[in-house]
Amino acid sequence: MSKPSDKALVPFVSVDNMMRLIHHIGVEKMLRGLADYVEADFKRWELFDKTPRVASHSAEGVIELMPTSDGEVYGFKYVNGHPKNTRDGLQTVTAFGLLADVGTGYPVLLSEMTVLTAMRTAATSAMVAKHLAPKNAKVMAMIGNGAQSEFQSLAMKAICGIDTVRLYDTDSAATEKCARNLAGSGLKIVKCNSPEESIEGAQIITTCTADKQYATILTDNMVGSGVHINAIGGDCPGKTELAPAILNRSDIFVEFPEQTRIEGEIQQLDPDHPVTELWQVIAGTTPGRTSDDQITLFDSVGFAIEDFSALRYVRDRLSGSDLYLDLDLLADPDDPRDLFGMLLRAASDTA
Ligand code: NAD
């Protein structure tokens, strides 16, 4: 990428513009597009720089940086996770992210990623379920009906063809909100009064709760053979959703083992408990589901490459659109060594 002759402006996608982009494309079409980008990047997994995310923990939550590069483009996301935030009217998860040109180090995109993270997490879940869930799965239990839940439901519809979602949340207001938002989506919505009721007849079980503790959203006796579990909410040390006995009966699929062993459900297991890396299933070198009665578990924590794919998807849709603002983010004097001269000229300009 060459350096522009004028001021180096950085395209910025605001929350408003992200929402316009999603509506312009259509939610389900964009979820399918994001899943294609994530799948394509999982297929070229080996060429990426990979590192567990850099986390700063506090009693209330965590703030994380998630970097990666494919050698040509570098990306990172800033993201937080604060389960108690909703009590004060704040989001549990907020994020923004950046892509940069590896050749110059100049940023080429800055974007909101709170909405985009919900889209990419859902697209990744459904792309993984396409590989692991029982064929012709039609019913999903959706446990935890917060910010991610509608996105998860619509992605499973758009990418895996489910037609029914069975909702459960300890807070019935969250279930009402989710049911209201999904009315008119074409999904059959069933509101349930217990987690046991929600998993009746479900081939896919999604857990997407937020609590900073070793929670037991699913107990061992609740999970029958043959299901696919999409475990989203356990994504931090000391924050899990599944009883360890379920893990011992499941074939476990992970994004990046070095990160998932710290943050995922498998933090509850021995450090050498066998897991399968998803990219190998997606690249076709390792089998995914091999029998009808197998329990497959996607121990999702969210990995930097998925954010990179999502930012790539957004960047590819901006040219010729009015969906971004040009940000004056980089000091870029005409004479690169005369940064101070640029400052002096600014003083005379403002005099
Ligand atoms: P949120 O706070 O908006 O919603 C969480 C919901 O879980 C709330 O409605 C809450 O009432 C419910 N809940 C809490 N305990 C429960 C229980 N025992 N049984 C049933 N419901 C319960 O949060 P969100 O933005 O929807 O995120 C959900 C989780 O997903 C968080 O833990 C977040 O960190 C995680 N997350 C993971 C990824 C990933 O890539 N794996 C990405 C985004 C978010």
Side-chain angles (χ1 to χ4, degrees):
M1 216 167 289
S2 62
K3 178 176 177 264
S5 53
D6 288 321
K7 241 181 180 180
L9 297 170
V10 180
F12 166 61
V13 180
S14 64
V15 176
D16 274 352
N17 276 328
M18 183 61 72
M19 295 194 292
R20 285 176 65 217
L21 175 68
I22 295 171
H23 285 304
H24 174 70
I25 295 170
V27 177
E28 291 188 34
K29 185 173 173 197
M30 181 156 162
L31 286 164
R32 282 194 292 270
L34 286 167
D36 289 345
Y37 270 56
V38 174
E39 191 165 38
D41 284 341
F42 271 56
K43 283 184 178 156
R44 55 189 195 118
W45 187 262
E46 284 167 293
L47 63 78
F48 280 91
D49 270 353
K50 291 176 285 296
T51 179
R53 58 186 150 198
V54 184
S56 174
H57 294 280
S58 62
E60 293 75 28
V62 62
I63 294 177
E64 299 166 323
L65 292 177
M66 303 171 69
T68 190
S69 167
D70 69 357
E72 291 181 10
V73 178
Y74 171 91
F76 77 84
K77 178 168 84 172
Y78 166 103
V79 62
N80 76 305
H82 285 69
K84 290 182 185 152
N85 267 5
T86 45
R87 270 193 334 213
D88 304 321
L90 301 173
Q91 288 281 115
T92 297
V93 176
T94 66
F96 65 89
L98 181 138
L99 290 180
D101 173 28
V102 167
T104 62
Y106 273 34
V108 295
L109 176 69
L110 178 67
S111 178
E112 89 78 41
M113 288 196 79
T114 305
V115 185
L116 189 59
T117 292
M119 294 286 285
R120 78 82 155 118
T121 304
T124 303
S125 283
M127 185 274 287
V128 168
K130 187 182 75 176
H131 288 276
L132 297 181
K135 292 284 161 255
N136 303 317
K138 293 288 173 210
V139 180
M140 177 170 85
M142 181 74 235
I143 304 178
N145 302 154
Q148 312 296 319
S149 60
E150 298 91 344
F151 297 90
Q152 288 282 327
S153 302
L154 290 173
M156 290 291 182
K157 170 179 181 270
I159 294 159
C160 302
I162 63 155
D163 59 22
T164 302
V165 189
R166 299 176 64 82
L167 304 177
Y168 173 71
D169 196 294
T170 42
D171 180 354
S172 61
T175 302
E176 291 299 333
K177 176 264 330 177
C178 184
R180 202 167 51 242
N181 285 341
L182 290 175
S185 66
L187 283 167
K188 182 179 170 204
I189 308 298
V190 183
K191 293 182 266 180
C192 302
N193 294 314
S194 67
E196 288 82 359
E197 185 188 345
S198 72
I199 63 175
E200 276 170 27
Q203 296 91 23
I204 300 175
I205 302 172
T206 293
T207 54
C208 194
T209 65
D211 206 352
K212 207 163 192 285
Q213 61 159 328
Y214 294 106
T216 309
I217 308 301
L218 296 178
T219 54
D220 190 29
N221 60 339
M222 287 165 66
V223 178
S225 64
V227 297
H228 174 66
I229 304 173
N230 174 41
I232 299 298
D235 60 354
C236 215
K239 177 165 169 270
T240 58
E241 294 182 304
L242 307 181
I246 299 172
L247 309 181
N248 285 319
R249 289 163 57 215
S250 304
D251 287 303
I252 303 172
F253 297 82
V254 302
E255 293 142 312
F256 184 54
E258 289 86 336
Q259 181 176 310
T260 313
R261 291 201 191 274
I262 299 168
E263 302 179 348
E265 296 300 327
I266 59 172
Q267 65 184 279
Q268 304 180 84
L269 302 179
D270 290 339
D272 53 0
H273 187 96
V275 295
T276 303
E277 293 191 51
L278 275 165
W279 72 269
Q280 294 176 327
V281 177
I282 288 154
T285 56
T286 305
R289 173 171 288 274
T290 49
S291 78
D292 290 344
D293 56 6
Q294 179 186 18
I295 301 170
T296 50
L297 165 62
F298 174 27
D299 185 1
S300 164
V301 292
F303 189 60
I305 294 175
E306 295 146 29
D307 300 310
F308 180 94
S309 314
L311 288 169
R312 227 168 40 77
Y313 177 92
V314 170
R315 184 194 57 185
D316 288 354
R317 265 132 207 101
L318 290 189
S319 114
S321 82
D322 64 352
L323 294 166
Y324 64 93
L325 304 170
D326 281 323
L327 269 198
D328 186 14
L329 185 67
L330 297 179
D332 187 40
D334 294 338
D335 175 353
R337 287 170 301 183
D338 196 15
L339 189 62
F340 195 77
M342 186 176 79
L343 178 65
L344 288 180
R345 283 190 295 281
S348 56
D349 288 350
T350 52

